[in-house]
Amino acid sequence: MSFTMRLLRFAAAVLVLMAAPLAAQADLDAPLPFDPAVRIGTLDNGLTYYIRANTEPEGRAELRLAVNVGSIVEDEDQRGLAHFVEHMAFNGTERFDEPELVQYLESVGMRFGPGVNAYVSFDETVYMLQIPTDSAAVFETGVDVLREWAGNVTLADDAIDRERGVIMEEWRIGQGAQERMQRQQFPVLFANSRYAERLPIGLPEIIQNAPYERMRDFYTTWYRPDLMSVIVVGDIDVDAVEAMVEAKFSDLVTAADAPERVFYPVPGHDDTRFAITTDPEAPQTVVQVLYKRPPSRTETVGDMRTNLRNDLFFSALRARVDEIRQEPGAPFAFAFVGSGSGVRMLDQVFLAALAAEGQVAESARVLATEAERARRFGITETEFERGKTELLRRLESAVAERDNQPSRGLSMAYVQAYLREEPVVSPEDQLALAQALLPTITLDEVNAVAEELVGTENRVVMVNAPETAPVPGEAELVAAIDGVAEAELEPYEDATVEGPLVETPPTPGQVVDEDTNDDLGTTTWTLSNGATVVLKPTDFRADEVLLSATSPGGSSLLSDAELAVAGGAAGYVAQSGVGAFDQVALGKKLSGQIVSVRPVISGRTEGFQGSAAPDDLETLFQLTHLYVTAPRKDADAFTASLDQTRAFLTSQVNSPRVAFSDTLSQTLTSYHPRNQTLSNYLASLGTADLDRSFAFYQDRFADVSDFTFVLVGAFETEAIRPLVETYLASLPGGGREEEARRIDMMPPSGAIEKTVRAGVEPQAQVAIVFHGEIDADDNEDRAIMGATADVLSKMLREEIREDRGGTYGIGVRPSIDRANDRFQLQIQFGTDPERVEELVAAVFAEVESLRAGEAEVRHLEAYQEQQRRSRETNLQENRYWSRILTSAAQYGEDPQDSIDQPDIVARLTMNDVQDMAVDKIDMGRYVQVVLLPEESAGAEVGGGGE
């Protein structure tokens, strides 16, 4: 059926549904139309393309090459080669020699990772590229890169051999508790299917030893136009791009004897299967009850109606289990019910919970009870109506933002449309369809979904748990899950709190002073209570307003002893609700609104973070007002919060990575009592006190005269004035003047080297942190430090990853402590324990090269271009503006300093970078921590310090 015919039939179906919704069942077979904003075509060789003009962000395009094969098609002696080939696409093509591709993309401002990447799954391989469009030549080269990946990857012998080490390191970092448990569970979940034995990472022996020809065989067999799609979304001319795709990709051919792309099913079973696994390093206890279903597609109006029905049921059931999570003594810290696709050939309906220690069977029982309660009594009329309201509000918001959809998200939607052979429906059509279909969906139909959460057919029960945790056996789990069928249950009571959020509107204050900054596009108001409000109206998004607020003080004002007692105050209050509404009642009250606010107390500040749609702005201000004037002191919420934290974190002390990070953090702060290990933090939860926490919270928000509120987004300044005066200017303000207390958590002097032994896998982690003093208020020094870190990061990637094949990833993360005028440069990577000494020496050698002025100017030039390109997109983002305006208020500086950083970077020379490295990177002042497995026989590793 042609695209036009699909569109006409869909439109006719919607008109009939809207005119006579209860008599429109015959039109449910109407096909869903693909969003008309995208151009879809197929070349004569079978390659499909999706092209769409979109200016979010301006001056960029997202390019994708989707290959409809992954590890599932590998032969036995190719296990891991789908993933290996994806790596090799970045290591040499006919046009780009091995190092040239990444270097070129970085030279035009793209970053390896965020802007240049790829992934391989069981069923597909997808290459992702962001490219500037303000240069026709650069953009066309980006399309050429896709064409090179599609048919011209060279797969040279020496490049393959160098990459073996990189992939082995990727394999190595994937080893651990989750992988070990997954290895036991996949054969149960995917029994008698290739999914059970075709993990994309592959087998080490094949990664290390596969013949070159077998890798080339995989590439030539499966990388072919009938299994490919090119997706281009961005600030482009669609006609020109379509012609470009046709010209560049039409010469690809599929061999006459090419094998069929087989889709491997996951066979069903009549009984319940179990996969109960424990591991000494398991970070949490998770129980899942899965019901396997054949794969489905959303292709017709009827399919979408089914999705809407399911959404209404699962949203109600999720809300119910979330209520239980917030009760003291709940058996789980988090729970989820829903449906989705596990892999291409399998759908799942599931109940899942992150269980408290010893509460696996009880978590499963509670989830099964709620499913049985819903099956027996159904969801309520009020839940049903609330679900429809929320669903329509989300769709209305999507329509409001239809011109602001990020190209990245759209491109991936079209990737999935190609791979799953489903249409992407426009926001307008989704809303029209929902408005037409929802009145046809009955409560009885929604309640029937509960039948998918009972029975034994195609059921899989999985448990992941620490080795030391009590874990029930199969019989106990079955009894817990199936026993609820005979239990006496009461219908769910949908309790709500009536009345307005703010019972009595406050007496408004006033804006007493106003200042505008035309360069920034901001207006600053001083309120009668002393608070400051910075407003930045934008048109970046039609349905978004961001609120941020900051005030000096924070938890620095607590003594070391009090920090454990009251340090979590904001979190406890946030989980308690406001005014007459506890957290559950508040969630129901806000149904159908797009709004959220939470109070925050950090180390040196207190304030708020929030957001809302323009239509819900008054609620945003009301919630902020109430968190100051009417926070709740809720003992149940306090206890539940502590229970959830323990459930999330208790078993994580088993993780070798936690032992590593705790040692690094403790050493860098000279074991300061405010910097706790995870074990100490968990122990300190026992000293948390609700009364003291609430008193500290009230003190921090008792006087807003030193608060700066920042509002960015879709509003008009004068239209928002009444809300500001009513809900912010009316807050208490007494002229408070205070500063955060300086906390000196100083690193040790000299070179400190430590080895941590933990874990059973042959993995090593290395962190090397150089530190020292810096003028943190000097904008130029901060810019040069950022450039120095980035140049060193690129040098290390080329030396440690690309030349030596010693790691999957290595980078340098700079941080500057504005309160104490100190910096850190943290270098971190994972590797083979046997190679730690070699690679640590190589890292120090590269640092010495940087200090000696031996770094290549291309690294700095790439960083300069990346900074310039980042600013282009940042200036179109509400979150960027909110961040820099709030930071400027916190540090008493001009926001223009942040905006101007790329200009400073653009003026830098390699001499500036070398001088910074010589001046600040002291080769005799660093902290080095190495994580080695417990059974490693190697000696402790020394550094390269002087």
Side-chain angles (χ1 to χ4, degrees):
M1 185 183 296
S2 71
F3 176 79
T4 302
M5 289 300 296
R6 288 172 63 94
L7 185 60
L8 290 173
R9 186 173 172 188
F10 166 79
V14 172
L15 288 173
V16 171
L17 282 165
M18 296 181 73
L22 296 179
Q25 299 304 310
D27 296 284
L28 297 180
D29 292 333
L32 294 169
F34 216 106
D35 187 343
V38 62
R39 183 173 298 177
I40 308 168
T42 303
L43 302 182
D44 291 341
N45 59 11
L47 182 140
T48 305
Y49 59 81
Y50 300 77
I51 305 171
R52 173 170 178 168
N54 189 64
T55 56
E56 179 59 38
E58 295 178 355
R60 296 289 186 278
E62 295 288 339
L63 280 58
R64 303 288 184 268
L65 176 69
V67 187
N68 197 11
V69 291
S71 59
I72 203 73
V73 304
E74 295 168 342
D75 293 336
E76 186 64 27
D77 66 343
Q78 291 180 318
R79 290 172 61 178
L81 296 195
H83 175 242
F84 208 135
V85 166
E86 173 254 299
H87 271 245
M88 294 307 300
F90 295 91
N91 284 280
T93 70
E94 291 181 8
R95 175 168 173 179
F96 297 97
D97 287 338
E98 184 175 352
E100 292 179 356
L101 179 57
V102 172
Q103 290 177 13
Y104 169 76
L105 294 171
E106 288 185 335
S107 76
V108 298
M110 302 301 101
R111 290 183 179 275
F112 193 67
V116 184
N117 216 325
Y119 75 85
V120 176
S121 71
F122 286 109
D123 290 299
E124 70 250 18
T125 303
V126 179
Y127 296 89
M128 302 169 284
L129 177 62
Q130 185 188 79
I131 205 78
T133 59
D134 53 4
S135 164
V138 168
F139 172 74
E140 184 169 359
T141 301
V143 179
D144 286 339
V145 170
L146 294 193
R147 174 59 183 81
E148 292 288 290
W149 287 337
N152 294 342
V153 177
T154 49
L155 296 163
D157 294 1
D158 56 345
I160 289 172
D161 286 337
R162 279 193 298 274
E163 198 66 17
R164 292 186 198 272
V166 173
I167 298 175
M168 278 303 301
E169 291 312 315
E170 185 177 359
W171 173 87
R172 191 183 309 280
I173 64 174
Q175 303 306 293
Q178 290 301 123
E179 190 276 338
R180 291 191 294 268
M181 292 187 290
Q182 188 180 77
R183 209 184 306 149
Q184 298 177 60
Q185 291 176 336
F186 273 17
V188 178
L189 180 61
F190 301 129
N192 302 313
S193 166
R194 285 169 73 102
Y195 288 105
E197 56 186 25
R198 286 293 187 276
L199 286 174
I201 192 62
L203 300 178
E205 58 269 27
I206 292 177
I207 296 169
Q208 293 172 308
N209 302 304
Y212 309 126
E213 285 307 316
R214 290 303 284 146
M215 196 174 305
R216 294 176 191 130
D217 287 344
F218 185 91
Y219 182 67
T220 57
T221 298
W222 297 114
Y223 277 58
R224 62 196 208 213
D226 63 312
L227 295 175
M228 287 184 181
S229 179
V230 171
I231 295 95
V232 181
V233 181
D235 197 354
I236 57 169
D237 180 308
V238 172
D239 291 335
V241 172
E242 183 177 40
M244 192 179 296
V245 169
E246 291 175 349
K248 294 180 183 295
F249 290 85
S250 291
D251 63 335
L252 290 168
V253 296
T254 299
D257 60 349
E260 177 187 0
R261 166 48 162 115
V262 177
F263 293 88
Y264 296 92
V266 179
H269 43 88
D270 296 331
D271 57 344
T272 298
R273 306 282 174 85
F274 293 87
I276 301 172
T277 59
T278 62
D279 192 276
E281 298 170 11
Q284 288 156 344
T285 300
V286 178
V287 57
Q288 301 178 72
V289 183
L290 306 166
Y291 294 89
K292 300 194 291 190
R293 298 289 183 262
S296 61
R297 292 178 182 169
T298 302
E299 299 179 287
T300 67
V301 172
D303 295 335
M304 186 163 282
R305 186 179 186 278
T306 298
N307 292 346
L308 293 172
R309 180 203 66 179
N310 293 346
D311 188 283
L312 292 172
F313 175 79
F314 285 118
S315 65
L317 194 55
R318 279 194 295 271
R320 290 187 183 186
V321 299
D322 195 58
E323 286 186 30
I324 296 170
R325 173 189 67 85
Q326 298 177 66
E327 297 172 358
F332 45 75
F334 175 80
F336 193 81
V337 292
S339 61
S341 297
V343 294
R344 185 87 63 86
M345 298 304 292
L346 178 69
D347 285 354
Q348 299 170 0
V349 179
F350 54 88
L351 306 161
L354 192 161
E357 187 171 356
Q359 296 291 304
V360 171
E362 179 63 9
S363 293
R365 187 196 66 79
V366 170
L367 291 176
T369 297
E370 293 312 307
E372 173 64 17
R373 195 189 313 275
R375 188 193 70 80
R376 200 178 297 181
F377 304 108
I379 68 170
T380 66
E381 186 72 35
T382 50
E383 290 175 298
F384 182 50
E385 293 301 324
R386 191 160 58 239
K388 289 191 287 186
T389 299
E390 292 174 346
L391 195 155
L392 286 172
R393 185 64 184 89
R394 291 196 304 269
L395 295 175
E396 289 166 353
S397 179
V399 170
E401 296 289 7
R402 61 189 178 276
D403 295 328
N404 302 310
Q405 299 176 83
S407 294
R408 179 168 296 179
L410 288 169
S411 67
M412 294 310 296
Y414 300 146
V415 166
Q416 291 305 311
Y418 165 69
L419 295 171
R420 297 184 177 274
E421 300 180 358
E422 294 180 333
V424 174
V425 182
S426 71
E428 297 92 332
D429 285 340
Q430 288 189 59
L431 178 60
L433 188 58
Q435 289 170 331
L437 285 172
L438 283 174
T440 78
I441 299 174
T442 67
L443 184 54
D444 286 343
E445 286 181 271
V446 172
N447 287 331
V449 178
E451 295 294 339
E452 298 188 32
L453 292 169
V454 297
T456 60
E457 185 178 1
N458 290 315
R459 184 170 69 179
V460 177
V461 179
M462 300 199 303
V463 177
N464 294 0
E467 204 169 69
T468 55
V471 177
E474 294 180 10
E476 186 179 349
L477 280 169
V478 166
I481 297 166
D482 292 344
V484 301
E486 305 300 324
E488 291 187 13
L489 302 176
E490 295 293 328
Y492 171 77
E493 182 181 348
D494 189 17
T496 58
V497 176
E498 300 301 322
L501 271 179
V502 179
E503 189 169 352
T504 303
T507 302
Q510 293 180 320
V511 174
V512 296
D513 191 29
E514 178 175 314
D515 184 40
T516 59
N517 186 318
D518 293 336
D519 292 335
L520 295 174
T522 59
T523 298
T524 301
W525 287 338
T526 302
L527 306 184
S528 52
N529 58 3
T532 301
V533 181
V534 180
L535 305 108
K536 167 73 177 176
T538 71
D539 58 3
F540 308 143
R541 297 186 66 82
D543 214 35
E544 179 181 80
V545 178
L546 303 181
L547 165 73
S548 179
T550 184
S551 164
S555 62
S556 73
L557 302 183
L558 290 169
S559 68
D560 294 349
E562 287 179 310
L563 186 64
V565 175
Y572 306 143
V573 170
Q575 287 198 212
S576 300
V578 288
F581 299 84
D582 65 20
Q583 190 70 354
V584 172
L586 182 62
K588 293 176 180 178
K589 179 67 176 178
L590 300 180
S591 173
Q593 298 191 58
I594 299 176
V595 60
S596 67
V597 180
R598 61 184 177 91
V600 178
I601 300 177
S602 65
R604 297 181 57 80
T605 65
E606 60 273 339
F608 293 99
Q609 290 292 329
S611 64
D615 289 346
D616 302 317
L617 266 178
E618 183 165 12
T619 303
L620 177 77
F621 284 102
Q622 288 177 332
L623 289 170
T624 305
H625 183 90
L626 289 169
Y627 273 121
V628 174
T629 62
R632 288 174 60 90
K633 185 180 179 182
D634 189 322
D636 286 348
F638 176 76
T639 302
S641 177
L642 294 176
D643 290 344
Q644 291 161 23
T645 302
R646 291 188 185 99
F648 269 114
L649 299 179
T650 295
S651 298
Q652 292 190 26
V653 296
N654 301 324
S655 169
R657 298 294 180 94
V658 169
F660 171 72
S661 61
D662 276 353
T663 300
L664 179 62
S665 175
Q666 290 277 286
T667 305
L668 283 169
T669 59
S670 299
Y671 293 85
H672 195 283
R674 297 179 80 92
N675 182 36
Q676 295 181 308
T677 65
L678 179 58
S679 295
N680 289 339
Y681 173 71
L682 283 167
S684 75
L685 292 177
T687 67
D689 180 84
L690 175 58
D691 291 336
R692 182 68 187 97
S693 294
F694 192 72
F696 178 62
Y697 178 90
Q698 288 182 305
D699 173 70
R700 289 297 77 220
F701 291 89
D703 185 338
V704 302
S705 56
D706 61 353
F707 272 64
T708 296
F709 295 88
V710 175
L711 287 152
V712 178
F715 63 85
E716 295 181 1
T717 300
E718 284 308 308
I720 213 170
R721 183 189 292 263
L723 297 176
V724 169
E725 292 186 327
T726 299
Y727 296 108
L728 298 186
S730 63
L731 293 172
R736 172 182 274 178
E737 294 183 9
E738 63 184 4
E739 294 182 356
R741 183 165 65 96
R742 177 169 172 159
I743 307 295
D744 292 324
M745 291 193 284
M746 303 295 286
S749 59
I752 305 297
E753 298 173 357
K754 295 186 177 183
T755 298
V756 177
R757 297 193 179 275
V760 298
E761 294 290 345
Q763 298 172 330
Q765 279 289 318
V766 179
I768 303 167
V769 184
F770 294 97
H771 56 86
E773 296 179 353
I774 193 170
D775 184 353
D777 291 328
D778 188 309
N779 203 26
E780 184 164 340
D781 273 4
R782 296 201 303 271
I784 300 173
M785 180 59 74
T788 302
D790 196 83
V791 168
L792 179 58
S793 186
K794 289 179 170 64
M795 293 171 64
L796 291 172
R797 185 192 71 212
E798 292 180 358
E799 174 66 22
I800 307 300
R801 172 182 162 131
E802 295 173 12
D803 291 349
R804 294 177 181 262
T807 186
Y808 177 64
I810 185 170
V812 183
R813 188 176 73 231
S815 61
I816 293 179
D817 180 353
R818 299 285 298 271
N820 295 304
D821 286 323
R822 298 196 64 83
F823 78 91
Q824 290 183 1
L825 289 180
Q826 180 169 323
I827 303 165
Q828 190 162 333
F829 62 95
T831 191
D832 182 341
E834 300 298 324
R835 298 192 66 184
V836 167
E837 187 169 355
E838 167 208 346
L839 297 182
V840 165
V843 166
F844 277 91
E846 287 301 297
V847 176
E848 290 282 20
S849 294
L850 177 67
R851 286 162 47 87
E854 296 171 1
E856 297 182 47
V857 70
R858 63 183 172 85
H859 292 319
L860 176 60
E861 291 172 344
Y863 179 68
Q864 290 169 324
E865 184 66 6
Q866 288 163 351
Q867 289 289 294
R868 184 178 75 84
R869 293 295 187 181
S870 293
R871 179 167 60 182
E872 290 176 351
T873 54
N874 283 341
L875 292 176
Q876 302 174 50
E877 294 287 340
N878 286 335
R879 294 195 180 280
Y880 171 78
W881 282 101
S882 179
R883 185 174 68 252
I884 68 167
L885 292 172
T886 304
S887 177
Q890 180 179 345
Y891 294 110
E893 60 189 17
D894 188 343
Q896 194 67 44
D897 287 349
S898 295
I899 298 171
D900 289 343
Q901 279 257 333
D903 293 332
I904 298 174
V905 171
R907 298 192 295 267
L908 299 182
T909 68
M910 288 305 298
N911 286 336
D912 295 316
V913 171
Q914 181 187 5
D915 289 346
M916 176 64 73
V918 170
D919 185 42
K920 300 300 182 186
I921 302 179
D922 184 340
M923 302 301 288
R925 186 176 60 210
Y926 63 87
V927 168
Q928 175 183 298
V929 176
V930 177
L931 171 68
L932 295 173
E934 291 176 355
E935 301 304 318
S936 173
E940 294 194 1
V941 180
E946 295 172 342

